[in-house]
Amino acid sequence: MAASASTTINFSTEPSHTSLSWKSHLSSSSAFDVAAVSPIRSHRQYPRFVIFAMRDKPTVLVAEKLGEAGVNLLKEFADVDCSYNLTPEELCTKISLCDALIVRSGTKVSREVFESSGGRLKVVGRAGVGIDNVDLAAATEHGCLVVNAPTANTVAAAEHGIALLTAMARNIAQADASVKAGKWLRNKYVGVSLVGKTLAVMGFGKVGSEVARRAKGLGMHVIAHDPYAPADRARAIGVELVSFDEAIASADFISLHMPLTPATNKILNDETFAKMKKGVRIVNVARGGVIDEDALVRALDAGIVAQAALDVFTVEPPKDSKLVQHENVTATPHLGASTKEAQEGVAIEIAEAVVGALNGELAATAVNAPMVPAEVLSELKPYVALAEKLGRLAVQLVAGGSGVKSVKVTYGSARAPDDLDTRLLRAMITKGLIEPISSSFVNLVNADFTAKQRGLRIAEERSLLNGSPESPLEFIQVQISSVDSKFASALSDSGEIRVEGRVKDGIPHLTKVGSFEVDVSLEGSIILCRQVDQPGMIGKVGSILSEENVNVSFMSVGRIAPRKHAIMAIGVDEEPTKESLKRIGEISAVEEFVYLKI
Ligand SMILES: NC(=O)C1=CN([C@@H]2O[C@H](COP(=O)(O)OP(=O)(O)OC[C@H]3O[C@@H](n4cnc5c(N)ncnc54)[C@H](O)[C@@H]3O)[C@@H](O)[C@H]2O)C=CC1
Ligand SMILES: O=C(O)C(=O)COP(=O)(O)O
């Protein structure tokens, strides 16, 4: 027995992605080492972890141009259908035949796409950074994992930002067009210098900080605004983090590098343009939607904004856009990520992520599932299996099987509270609790959503144990309250169904049922009998099962005191017939029994 609980901490009362998290994963998406940005991320092998169980060769639909190396990598594992320029209707029709979909920024992966997939679509791979074209809520509700390729195009986007900045300052595009039109307008295209000017980088993440580095090399004074960026990262590059208002009021140039979210939608608008220095110049390689484009046209006409260089637009391609036609605007057709190097890197990065996910690995770049480091996953793997099995057992002990609303999970561990990420465990307990009593498919992606939708409340509690924190967990206990049990002995003194398990030699074991201690490996199915403790019981049950050729893998008896009540837990490899279960129930000393499928 492990040391008894010394402290009990209530971590969360509601399933939530942030309640208990691995300490290194609490930082925002911007947390990365700027010096480590490289066009091609090396692939890390994540432990196989069954999010999806693929039986046949999967089909991957590549809906936008993807680098050849990525397509070849996909082909080693899947049937690959490269169909570009599909209409939304065509995409919805095709998707029901696909296990994975790969897109860039030009394809809307809407709720209809997930609904049309009929549950087959398991992974959406975004070959790039921005996932604003994917309906994440719908993906999550459908248990579909969304992965992106967040690092391989960083440098390309930053270089494009700098290209636009310098081209804009020296009127390169306009001057080029006029020379080609036979003109020689040396006075018209006098530019502005960059050296000594203030550049405000809005969004100091991967691209923003690479732009900042390069702008410093051009002799610019660089400030940045990013509510989530750590000050020491900015300091390391020699950039001061300032408030939004200070950034836009003091900048000669503004470069946008934040994601498009409800909070950043039209963040540059009439009101914010009015606060800018007259003659400010704006670069946007982030997303068109962060600028109110009509307001930008007004600001350009009023001379508040002297020039804008835009790679991205609210609607792409832009139609009859006054903004694009404006003489002080330089426009490119969303080329930020379009270098050979970046496209090769992105293609490999996304192909690896999609193949990994289809193989059951938890992707390192998952957008709508917990990102758990590989080493943590390896360590937690047997406990993940234990968690699901305990959930499955507990719910089968409920009379009627339904009406489960309130579950308490206790994790017994000697580790410090922030050293244990329980999101995987909670998801698998939820899977175990819900799948035996419904037609829902539950995985790591949709577990919290599915629990919430069913009104299932999972409270998590940590029981801090004395002893060595070598293994992440000593035990997991699952309790279901306010329900009747079909096996009264599974009820604890306080009336909840209670099962507890441990991992022994890498194998999940059931170690407690109600108040009875047992020990049965959770590998096949289980028969639990309550009996009056007396000699010969094991033999009687064993011989009934052997007559049926049912192999007994494990047997254990947990009793309160000799010759009083005991619980016999029997692990079986095959499913006993109803008749043999009936015969076990008829043994005179057996008071109640239950057969549980794991
Ligand atoms: N034009 C193109 O082809 C490309 C565009 N992009 C876009 O560039 C943007 C940045 O990409 P990454 O740097 O890779 O992402 P990132 O996630 O590394 O950085 C985004 C940064 O924006 C910050 N942020 C979030 N809300 C903010 C707010 N309200 N104000 C200021 N900062 C805020 C975040 O804290 C984060 O540091 C994304 O929108 C992405 O889609 C990226 C690559 C290519
Ligand atoms: O990665 C991003 O966010 C981009 O905007 C690149 O988009 P693309 O893959 O070139 O359509």
Side-chain angles (χ1 to χ4, degrees):
M1 278 301 296
S4 63
S6 54
T7 320
T8 299
I9 306 166
N10 244 318
F11 270 75
S12 76
T13 49
E14 284 267 301
S16 114
H17 279 293
T18 50
S19 57
L20 288 168
S21 12
W22 186 252
K23 54 187 170 188
S24 61
H25 274 258
L26 286 173
S27 42
S28 78
S29 60
S30 65
F32 72 105
D33 175 0
V34 281
V37 169
S38 73
I40 302 178
R41 189 177 55 90
S42 68
H43 178 56
R44 295 175 74 192
Q45 194 63 37
Y46 275 70
R48 238 185 97 75
F49 176 82
V50 179
I51 321 179
F52 315 111
M54 294 296 309
R55 258 173 260 119
D56 306 317
K57 196 174 187 191
T59 299
V60 179
L61 173 60
V62 179
E64 286 180 74
K65 184 91 184 92
L66 189 71
E68 206 180 323
V71 175
N72 289 341
L73 212 149
L74 290 169
K75 281 181 178 164
E76 284 174 24
F77 172 76
D79 292 324
V80 181
D81 174 358
C82 293
S83 295
Y84 309 144
N85 304 317
L86 295 173
T87 63
E89 294 72 29
E90 287 167 340
L91 176 59
C92 284
T93 307
K94 253 185 188 296
I95 207 68
S96 62
L97 304 172
C98 301
D99 303 283
L101 167 67
I102 294 182
V103 297
R104 290 177 57 185
S105 60
T107 305
K108 284 251 164 304
V109 189
S110 61
R111 179 170 287 276
E112 288 71 49
V113 174
F114 295 102
E115 282 167 359
S116 306
S117 93
R120 180 158 172 187
L121 184 63
K122 294 174 188 70
V123 192
V124 172
R126 169 25 176 142
V129 182
I131 31 92
D132 44 287
N133 53 325
V134 180
D135 187 332
L136 275 188
T140 304
E141 287 168 32
H142 287 79
C144 179
L145 186 71
V146 180
V147 291
N148 70 351
T151 60
N153 67 22
T154 299
V155 168
E159 287 177 349
H160 197 66
I162 294 292
L164 286 178
L165 178 79
T166 50
M168 171 175 70
R170 302 306 293 269
N171 302 303
I172 301 291
Q174 292 84 348
D176 173 67
S178 81
V179 173
K180 285 181 173 139
K183 296 176 193 162
W184 194 251
L185 303 172
R186 284 168 38 94
N187 290 334
K188 183 170 180 185
Y189 293 122
V190 172
V192 290
S193 187
L194 299 175
V195 69
K197 298 284 166 53
T198 297
L199 169 70
V201 171
M202 311 299 282
F204 196 68
K206 294 185 288 296
V207 179
S209 45
E210 289 301 311
V211 165
R213 256 184 223 282
R214 285 157 177 74
K216 297 251 337 158
L218 296 172
M220 300 187 84
H221 170 60
V222 184
I223 56 175
H225 168 71
D226 187 325
Y228 314 107
D232 56 344
R233 179 145 55 81
R235 225 176 292 122
I237 305 182
V239 170
E240 191 192 351
L241 282 177
V242 298
S243 69
F244 179 85
D245 280 355
E246 191 182 339
I248 60 166
S250 50
D252 301 301
F253 292 82
I254 294 174
S255 195
L256 299 169
H257 300 290
M258 66 263 279
L260 178 61
T261 65
T264 61
N265 188 32
K266 296 191 179 171
I267 201 165
L268 297 196
N269 52 44
D270 285 317
E271 203 185 313
T272 50
F273 284 128
K275 293 180 184 167
M276 292 176 191
K277 245 190 202 177
K278 198 165 165 45
V280 67
R281 290 175 164 80
I282 294 175
V283 175
N284 189 7
V285 286
R287 281 295 176 268
V290 300
I291 300 179
D292 176 341
E293 291 178 340
D294 293 337
L296 177 55
V297 172
R298 286 189 285 274
L300 282 160
D301 287 342
I304 299 174
V305 175
Q307 290 180 297
L310 310 171
D311 184 46
V312 283
F313 301 88
T314 308
V315 175
E316 293 181 359
K319 290 194 187 75
D320 305 325
S321 166
K322 265 193 187 169
L323 184 60
V324 171
Q325 299 306 329
H326 202 287
E327 64 167 341
N328 295 335
V329 169
T330 304
T332 50
H334 202 146
L335 290 180
S338 295
T339 63
K340 281 183 186 164
E341 296 83 354
Q343 281 314 307
E344 189 180 323
V346 163
I348 293 171
E349 194 176 11
I350 204 63
E352 284 181 342
V354 167
V355 168
L358 288 173
N359 262 330
E361 292 170 18
L362 191 58
T365 59
V367 175
N368 62 343
M371 292 200 279
V372 183
E375 51 285 6
V376 179
L377 264 186
S378 292
E379 203 182 33
L380 280 185
K381 209 173 170 197
Y383 301 93
V384 166
L386 173 66
E388 182 179 352
K389 287 171 189 232
L390 288 176
R392 263 175 203 281
L393 287 186
V395 79
Q396 289 179 74
L397 289 165
V398 177
S402 57
V404 177
K405 293 287 174 225
S406 182
V407 173
K408 186 164 101 181
V409 182
T410 307
Y411 305 101
S413 171
R415 288 217 177 149
D418 68 346
D419 242 4
L420 181 69
D421 187 341
T422 61
R423 291 169 302 172
L424 297 181
L425 303 171
R426 185 180 66 228
M428 290 303 113
I429 290 169
T430 307
K431 180 178 173 72
L433 287 166
I434 293 178
E435 283 191 346
I437 56 166
S438 77
S439 55
S440 305
F441 156 72
V442 184
N443 66 3
L444 195 56
V445 177
N446 67 359
D448 283 350
F449 170 80
T450 312
K452 207 167 182 182
Q453 208 187 30
R454 298 179 67 91
L456 173 63
R457 204 163 162 273
I458 301 187
E460 291 178 293
E461 200 175 85
R462 264 287 294 281
S463 179
L464 264 185
L465 305 178
N466 301 320
S468 143
E470 221 164 76
S471 60
L473 280 165
E474 281 297 321
F475 68 84
I476 302 176
Q477 187 182 84
V478 177
Q479 293 190 82
I480 305 180
S481 53
S482 313
V483 287
D484 294 328
S485 178
K486 58 170 84 144
F487 186 67
S489 315
L491 295 172
S492 66
D493 295 341
S494 43
E496 293 101 10
I497 290 180
R498 181 199 285 166
V499 289
E500 188 176 302
R502 288 162 193 267
V503 170
K504 298 185 177 182
D505 298 326
I507 293 170
H509 278 235
L510 176 67
T511 52
K512 204 169 207 176
V513 176
S515 308
F516 293 88
E517 280 174 17
V518 294
D519 188 359
V520 56
S521 89
L522 291 171
E523 286 176 300
S525 294
I526 286 187
I527 299 168
L528 293 176
C529 294
R530 186 182 62 185
Q531 55 182 47
V532 180
D533 185 28
Q534 58 181 248
M537 282 302 292
I538 292 178
K540 280 184 192 163
V541 175
S543 66
I544 293 173
L545 292 171
S546 70
E547 278 169 36
E548 295 265 348
N549 207 18
V550 172
N551 195 41
V552 173
S553 58
F554 227 94
M555 239 183 201
S556 113
V557 178
R559 59 186 188 179
I560 294 169
R563 307 271 172 170
K564 297 242 167 92
H565 295 298
I567 289 222
M568 183 160 53
I570 305 152
V572 287
D573 291 337
E574 292 83 23
E575 185 168 346
T577 60
K578 280 194 179 133
E579 182 52 31
S580 57
L581 290 174
K582 190 164 163 264
R583 283 176 61 202
I584 292 172
E586 283 165 2
I587 299 173
S588 60
V590 170
E591 295 173 336
E592 60 170 347
F593 80 100
V594 66
Y595 170 67
L596 305 167
K597 287 186 186 174
I598 304 174

